[in-house]
Amino acid sequence: MAERVLLVGSGGREHALAWKLAQSPQIQQVLVAPGNAGTANCGKISNSEVSVSNHSILAQFCKDHHVGLVVVGPEVPLAAGIVDDLTAAGVPCFGPSGKAAQLEASKSFSKAFMERHGIPTARYGSFTDPQAACNYIRTADFPALVVKASGLAAGKGVIVARDQEEACQAVMDIMKDKAFGAAGDTVVVEELLEGEEVSCLCFSDGSSVSPMPPAQDHKRLQDGDLGPNTGGMGAYCPTPQVGQELLQQIRETVLQRTVDMMKEEGAPYVGVLYAGLMLTKQGPKVLEYNCRFGDPECQVLMPLLKSDLYEVIMNTMKGTLAANPPAWQQESSAVTVVMASPGYPGSYKKGVEITGLSQVQDNGLQVFHAGTALKEGGVVSSGGRVLTVTAVSSSLEAALRSANQGVAAIGFPGAVYRRDIGHRAIAHLNQSGCVGLTYKESGVDIAAGNKLVELIKPLAKATSRSGCNAELGGFAGLFDLKAAGFVDPILVSGTDGVGTKLKIAQACGQHGGLGQDLVAMCVNDVLAQGAEPLFFLDYFSCGRLDVDVAAAVVGGVAKACEMAGCALLGGETAEMPGVYAPGEYDLAGFCVGAVERGALLPRLGDIAEGDMLLGVASSGVHSNGFSLVRKVLERARLGYSSPAPFCRPGQTVGEVLLTPTKIYSRLLLPILRSGAVKAYAHITGGGLLENIPRVLPEELAVDLDASQWNIPPVFSWLHREGGLSGDEMGRTFNCGLGAVLVVAPLEAQGVLRQLQAHEEAWIVGSLAHKLPGAEAVVVRNLSNSLLKAGSVAAGDSGVEQNNGCHGSDGTPRKRTRVAVLISGTGTNLQALIEQAKRPSSSAEIVVVISNRPGVQGLKRASLAGIQTRVVDHKMYGSRAEFDGTIDRVLEEFRVELVCLAGFMRILTGNFVKKWNGKLLNIHPSLLPSFKGVNAQKQALQAGVRVTGCTVHFVAEEVDAGAIIAQEAVPVLSCDTEEALCERIREAEHRAFPAALELVASGAVTLGEDGHSVWKTSAQS
């Protein structure tokens, strides 16, 4: 079952962790508390306002919302014992215990710990008296110029002085003037070490460690390591200054020794351990420990992590890290550049608008937000370090160049940033670059290519068939047609790729299915000539060969060749540095088949008016039209990790779109050889309109009826969300038919039965005489059938989903995006759902939000295929915080209209003002009579003969908004309060949907004077 994860924190580190966690197929949702603008609406990722400082409230929140794992980003909650408290409450939490976190929380403790256990570090003294500290500085027989606040100071509590006087002044600033508050009650004075500073992090399961690639942070504000100290202005990874031998030394003498000794002292260290080191002439020495990921080191480590971060965390918590070490990208470098507010690290202005972020991400860079917030749909600054731009490339210089270009493309007036991140590493590389170059250093790894061949040789061997042995490694492949049983064959060839479906696979990290796509595109084309596919060749090109990725792709090719009955006879792997961006590759395939001369298709002379068309089901989009698909996703603001709105629950957009193309050879070859089929069209690029005429005589036209086959819901969604016309759909996509066969009317039922024994198939149309100037293909009922496909997307639930409706020109018209707020059973909600699912409706319910978990209304929404959110009011300290969270969810779903259906919370004035004219409520009386609670009881007590219900716009005054719709209900002499309530409820189920339709269609709006404004046609 997919997991819900809560991530504690709000910085760039937390955005990077959330980004990486969301890539896991085992994770359903990542909640970030409190998060930032980058985590507010990002596919699986969303923000939460739950209190993280009150551990009891947080634990209850996790239980109520089925959070299966909490990951803690910053150090303060760890030092406060959040892991201990949540674990004790039965909520799994990743990070060290409060006792283990002392390694960072108390520099005095950590220095004494290192001294006890012989872990190399600088000489030091620990002081609670400022005068004693100054005496130490003046009398030490080494340069005692590093002054540290012992407690937590957000990474800024270290001062490196130039001389003794400056060091003593730092002591006074920290201890007497409280520059870092209580963190400076104790100071540590250290020896000034000389050398390269590096960050070596590892995962630790309490017994073993798994080091991450070493990184280097840049603390100074300005280029050339000038200016004041900061929390970090950028980082790069890996550091060439730390070779494998030195990294092994660090692992043994620092990381593993620290974990061993913490375990010996009764505080097993489980989580991420960060050792800040100085590479001195005497060897590496520890400057400090951190008990979590560094920031900005995390922003360069996460893009280089190949493994599933969720799995790494679970292995760490289970104590199985040694058996399951994380995998990291090899021979790639990552650089992140921090953009800070003008004035940082001093005072700075907030609320500065930031633009150009999407453009940077479109260029393959990753922007991780830190001090950002959402304001009126845009991103503004809200902190000192505002965001980081991360680039990954085959070389450090290229990564830095890309990151700097990304920073330059962002509109952030006055932003402060460095342009020289990694300058020490580049100098190191240049200094050691006098040795002779190798082919590998130019970017081509022959050994990796050979490894790939060895991996795929047995896979190719498994595709051997009569006519060839499928042995890889020679200069060319051989095929014996006679041995394959051919007498008078004609060779048939086909070549193809998989288009921009590649981009989705690369973004999702799911490569195996592309092999089947590639084989299917070529094999299905060869079939159109009636040919049996005999052998296949593949071409894989990339900038840098990732053996695992290439093996997944080519392994998929081999499996697909087995499915198709053809041999993988050979291929080419081309490594071309500089041609492709990191992680990108391209594919091409080439298939050769053969057909006996007398069985060649199409049989144009036999095809006649009245012949029947049989359609064979596709698996979805197959491998064509993905440029348009990606554009629609961009318009809909959906990521590949987002829950797919066009399939069964639990699947992401990426998973659905990467469904492999069907291979039809084994199904169709026996039928084609029977002679019953006159022609076969592969529905590939060009869709239904372009492909069927390719196998027909010019004088015949195609008459298709889209109501005769099942259209997958993904096509309905593309049609509606992209505003695509029926003609555009038919010319771009297969619309549910992967193959179309032409057969004589007398043969149609027999062929259909053969097809249906193995696959979904239908009689979908016929051939007619083509009139001069007429279209070659007419697809009747396509728009209506696309709508119908959307209405059954709820699958086994049997409840229709909301679907788009069409204007008079047959194109989808935009529907108003509606949210419904509930607190309980949701009976009015059900009436609204029934209205919105009608094809004629102007409303689309996109989310149902409840302030109570587990209520019946949430189940109603789920059954209808509508996404749900729970914003539990008990978890918030004020109404404003609660309303703010509701507002962010509404923004996430791009809601345009809100209905309150039994929502038992009073909304704040600010919320009502923001949603003025877009917020509807229903009241069980004929307003303005009987406002407030117990309206039915008030009516009975007043002795009125008529009451009813009123739908109105919400105003700040309760039940005082402009009226949209009312329905009268007579009060009977025998009425009890219960009986009257029931009849009014029935009226509500009619009035509320009617009012929703009036507002969603624009027939009724709220005027500036606070009264309802009716269009003339609507009122009449």
Side-chain angles (χ1 to χ4, degrees):
M1 180 180 174
E3 196 77 273
R4 179 176 282 124
V5 174
L6 176 74
L7 179 61
V8 175
S10 62
R13 165 183 52 220
E14 286 73 39
H15 189 182
L17 291 171
W19 170 79
K20 190 64 182 178
L21 283 167
Q23 295 172 17
S24 171
Q26 300 182 61
I27 287 183
Q28 171 195 359
Q29 185 183 21
V30 180
L31 299 171
V32 188
N36 53 45
T39 55
N41 177 22
C42 188
K44 290 182 182 179
I45 307 170
S46 58
N47 288 341
S48 171
E49 291 288 336
V50 64
S51 170
V52 296
S53 58
N54 187 319
H55 299 169
S56 298
I57 288 179
L58 181 60
Q60 190 58 49
F61 175 90
C62 292
K63 292 175 181 178
D64 289 345
H65 294 80
H66 308 293
V67 172
L69 173 66
V70 174
V71 177
V72 185
E75 65 276 13
V76 173
L78 292 167
I82 189 173
V83 174
D84 310 75
D85 293 341
L86 292 184
T87 303
V91 177
C93 186
F94 177 67
S97 66
K99 189 175 180 182
Q102 287 183 90
L103 281 176
E104 178 174 6
S106 171
K107 291 179 178 62
S108 179
F109 169 85
S110 67
K111 294 295 288 190
F113 172 85
M114 287 184 272
E115 190 174 48
R116 282 197 302 275
H117 299 296
I119 296 169
T121 187
R123 290 173 284 183
Y124 80 103
S126 181
F127 306 94
T128 55
D129 175 34
Q131 197 58 51
C134 289
N135 289 338
Y136 183 82
I137 290 169
R138 294 190 180 101
T139 59
D141 59 357
F142 53 84
L145 300 177
V146 180
V147 182
K148 298 180 178 180
S150 180
L152 297 175
K156 301 172 188 174
V158 178
I159 296 172
V160 180
R162 287 171 291 189
D163 52 40
Q164 291 180 352
E165 288 307 311
E166 190 173 306
C168 287
Q169 184 59 50
V171 169
M172 295 303 171
D173 291 342
I174 293 173
M175 300 193 79
K176 284 201 163 185
D177 296 341
K178 299 295 182 183
F180 303 110
D185 289 348
T186 299
V187 296
V188 171
V189 178
E190 280 188 358
E191 172 188 11
L192 176 65
L193 299 176
E194 293 184 357
E196 285 276 359
E197 191 172 340
V198 295
S199 305
C200 288
L201 290 82
C202 68
F203 292 101
S204 168
D205 62 7
S207 297
S208 61
V209 297
S210 181
M212 306 179 200
Q216 189 173 63
D217 185 10
H218 294 62
K219 289 290 187 186
R220 297 287 184 172
L221 182 69
Q222 299 163 0
D223 286 354
D225 294 321
L226 302 175
N229 250 4
T230 69
M233 294 301 295
Y236 69 93
C237 180
T239 55
Q241 302 94 316
V242 181
Q244 285 302 312
E245 186 176 334
L246 180 55
L247 184 59
Q248 183 62 25
Q249 180 187 345
I250 293 168
R251 174 178 184 159
E252 293 171 0
T253 63
V254 176
L255 300 175
Q256 187 64 56
R257 176 122 183 111
T258 300
V259 170
D260 289 345
M261 294 303 101
M262 286 296 287
K263 186 177 182 180
E264 185 178 283
E265 292 196 0
Y269 194 100
V270 178
V272 171
L273 177 63
Y274 172 133
L277 302 170
M278 185 70 80
L279 305 181
T280 72
K281 291 179 180 178
Q282 294 78 36
K285 294 187 177 183
V286 179
L287 296 173
E288 64 175 356
Y289 289 114
N290 289 333
C291 58
R292 35 70 192 182
F293 279 103
D295 186 341
E297 289 94 340
C298 188
Q299 291 92 304
V300 289
L301 285 165
M302 288 302 97
L304 295 179
L305 178 62
K306 287 177 67 175
S307 299
D308 183 322
L309 177 59
Y310 174 76
E311 291 183 357
V312 174
I313 288 174
M314 296 312 293
N315 287 329
T316 303
M317 295 176 70
K318 292 174 186 173
T320 57
L321 193 58
N324 302 280
W328 300 87
Q329 285 192 40
Q330 302 298 317
E331 297 175 23
S332 286
S333 292
V335 170
T336 194
V337 177
V338 173
M339 298 185 75
S341 294
Y344 175 79
S347 60
Y348 49 82
K349 181 182 176 183
K350 297 181 181 181
V352 179
E353 185 179 7
I354 302 167
T355 59
L357 298 175
S358 60
Q359 176 188 342
V360 173
Q361 289 176 313
D362 288 344
N363 290 334
L365 305 177
Q366 188 62 45
V367 177
F368 295 118
H369 291 237
T372 62
L374 292 175
K375 183 178 180 181
E376 297 176 357
V379 176
V380 297
S381 65
S382 66
R385 291 192 296 169
V386 176
L387 50 84
T388 65
V389 178
T390 302
V392 177
S393 190
S394 56
S395 71
L396 179 61
E397 294 95 329
L400 175 59
R401 203 161 43 243
S402 296
N404 284 339
Q405 289 169 354
V407 167
I410 292 174
F412 182 9
V416 179
Y417 55 89
R418 289 182 60 160
R419 297 165 182 82
D420 68 341
I421 302 301
H423 67 94
R424 290 195 192 90
I426 293 170
H428 175 86
L429 291 169
N430 290 338
Q431 189 176 3
S432 59
C434 55
V435 296
L437 288 172
T438 65
Y439 201 11
K440 183 176 181 179
E441 287 169 338
S442 74
V444 180
D445 191 341
I446 295 174
N450 292 337
K451 180 181 178 183
L452 174 63
V453 172
E454 292 305 311
L455 284 173
I456 62 178
K457 268 185 177 181
L459 302 176
K461 181 70 174 175
T463 69
S464 297
R465 51 155 294 160
S466 57
C468 76
N469 289 325
E471 292 278 2
L472 298 184
F475 287 101
L478 305 176
F479 195 94
D480 186 340
L481 284 169
K482 285 188 177 180
F486 287 92
V487 178
D488 184 19
I490 292 177
L491 291 178
V492 179
S493 66
T495 186
D496 212 333
V498 297
T500 54
K501 191 172 186 177
L502 278 168
K503 300 288 284 185
I504 298 178
Q506 290 161 5
C508 295
Q510 298 179 25
H511 311 282
L514 291 178
Q516 181 171 329
D517 289 312
L518 188 65
V519 173
M521 295 300 288
C522 299
V523 164
N524 291 344
D525 278 354
V526 165
L527 276 174
Q529 307 297 147
E532 174 187 352
L534 302 178
F535 61 87
F536 190 87
L537 306 168
D538 70 86
Y539 176 80
F540 181 97
S541 58
C542 58
R544 186 186 66 79
L545 182 62
D546 185 318
V547 174
D548 293 338
V549 171
V553 174
V554 181
V557 170
K559 290 177 183 177
C561 284
E562 283 191 81
M563 293 168 62
C566 63
L568 178 56
L569 202 53
E572 167 71 2
T573 301
E575 194 170 17
M576 298 184 285
V579 176
Y580 298 94
E584 289 188 354
Y585 56 84
D586 202 1
L587 290 175
F590 183 85
C591 181
V592 172
V595 57
E596 296 292 353
R597 193 176 301 273
L600 195 65
L601 291 179
R603 301 201 307 269
L604 294 177
D606 293 345
I607 300 173
E609 182 178 356
D611 280 347
M612 306 303 292
L613 300 176
L614 275 60
V616 184
S618 70
S619 60
V621 184
H622 278 185
S623 299
N624 299 105
F626 275 90
S627 295
L628 181 55
V629 169
R630 290 165 60 227
K631 202 70 179 175
V632 175
L633 288 173
E634 182 181 324
R635 173 185 284 192
R637 298 182 186 177
L638 277 182
Y640 301 131
S641 61
S642 301
F646 38 73
C647 71
R648 65 179 183 271
Q651 283 190 291
T652 65
V653 169
E655 287 167 349
V656 176
L657 294 179
L658 290 175
T659 302
T661 308
K662 284 187 177 178
I663 297 174
Y664 296 113
S665 53
R666 291 195 185 273
L667 169 69
L668 292 183
L669 268 175
I671 300 172
L672 299 183
R673 287 170 174 163
S674 72
V677 176
K678 300 180 181 183
Y680 149 75
H682 177 205
I683 310 304
T684 179
L688 296 168
L689 303 188
E690 302 287 344
N691 285 292
I692 304 176
R694 294 167 68 181
V695 298
L696 300 178
E698 290 185 2
E699 66 272 13
L700 294 178
V702 174
D703 178 18
L704 292 175
D705 183 354
S707 67
Q708 298 304 303
W709 73 85
N710 294 334
I711 298 179
V714 62
F715 295 112
S716 172
W717 184 86
L718 289 166
H719 173 55
R720 181 180 72 248
E721 199 69 29
L724 307 181
S725 66
D727 191 61
E728 191 67 28
M729 292 293 298
R731 183 167 280 107
T732 307
F733 301 113
N734 64 62
C735 295
L737 298 181
V740 172
L741 311 183
V742 181
V743 298
L746 292 177
E747 302 277 7
Q749 288 299 329
V751 173
L752 184 63
R753 282 193 294 272
Q754 287 180 273
L755 292 170
Q756 290 177 336
H758 306 283
E759 186 59 85
E760 274 194 296
W762 312 268
I763 295 176
V764 297
S766 61
L767 299 181
H769 179 69
K770 184 184 176 187
L771 298 174
E775 297 290 342
V777 179
V778 174
V779 187
R780 293 181 287 110
N781 299 313
L782 180 56
S783 293
N784 287 336
S785 297
L786 285 164
L787 282 173
K788 182 180 177 183
S791 72
V792 299
D796 294 341
S797 68
V799 180
E800 292 187 336
Q801 279 189 329
N802 306 323
N803 32 140
C805 57
H806 285 227
S808 57
D809 62 351
T811 60
R813 83 167 174 262
K814 186 178 180 299
R815 307 177 77 190
T816 300
R817 297 174 67 85
V818 178
V820 183
L821 273 56
I822 64 170
S823 294
T825 58
T827 54
N828 271 324
L829 167 65
Q830 188 62 47
L832 296 175
I833 291 173
E834 293 295 329
Q835 173 63 32
K837 75 180 182 181
R838 294 180 179 178
S840 59
S841 177
S842 297
E844 177 187 12
I845 300 176
V846 294
V847 66
V848 172
I849 305 170
S850 173
N851 67 305
R852 294 175 180 168
V855 297
Q856 180 64 30
L858 293 174
K859 296 177 183 177
R860 293 179 190 271
S862 295
L863 285 172
I866 300 168
Q867 294 201 57
T868 62
R869 291 287 188 271
V870 175
V871 182
D872 192 338
H873 64 278
K874 297 176 184 175
M875 299 299 168
Y876 299 91
S878 68
R879 285 169 53 201
E881 287 182 16
F882 171 72
D883 286 2
T885 304
I886 295 283
D887 189 50
R888 279 188 283 276
V889 175
L890 298 178
E891 287 187 357
E892 174 189 348
F893 284 88
R894 295 177 289 121
V895 168
E896 300 165 289
L897 186 63
V898 181
C899 293
L900 308 182
F903 184 65
M904 307 303 291
R905 304 297 298 172
I906 296 176
L907 296 165
T908 58
N910 286 338
F911 185 94
V912 172
K913 285 177 184 176
K914 176 173 181 180
W915 290 90
N916 188 41
K918 303 172 185 176
L919 197 57
L920 311 186
N921 195 15
I922 190 164
H923 183 72
S925 77
L926 294 177
L927 292 174
S929 298
F930 311 128
K931 294 181 179 180
V933 297
N934 302 319
Q936 302 92 331
K937 185 176 182 179
Q938 291 182 57
L940 289 171
Q941 289 174 343
V944 298
R945 307 319 304 156
V946 176
T947 184
C949 60
T950 302
V951 185
H952 60 93
F953 289 107
V954 175
E956 288 188 65
E957 183 184 343
V958 175
D959 298 333
I963 293 171
I964 303 164
Q966 292 183 310
E967 182 169 331
V969 174
V971 181
L972 306 179
S973 58
C974 60
D975 262 338
T976 62
E977 187 177 340
E978 183 179 345
L980 182 58
C981 285
E982 182 58 35
R983 292 208 312 286
I984 291 176
R985 192 175 296 116
E986 291 174 2
E988 288 179 349
H989 296 171
R990 296 185 292 271
F992 211 165
L996 169 64
E997 202 59 48
L998 288 170
V999 179
S1001 66
V1004 178
T1005 57
L1006 183 65
E1008 293 183 4
D1009 60 357
H1011 292 90
S1012 295
V1013 178
W1014 292 69
K1015 285 186 179 178
T1016 305
S1017 58
Q1019 198 167 21
S1020 61

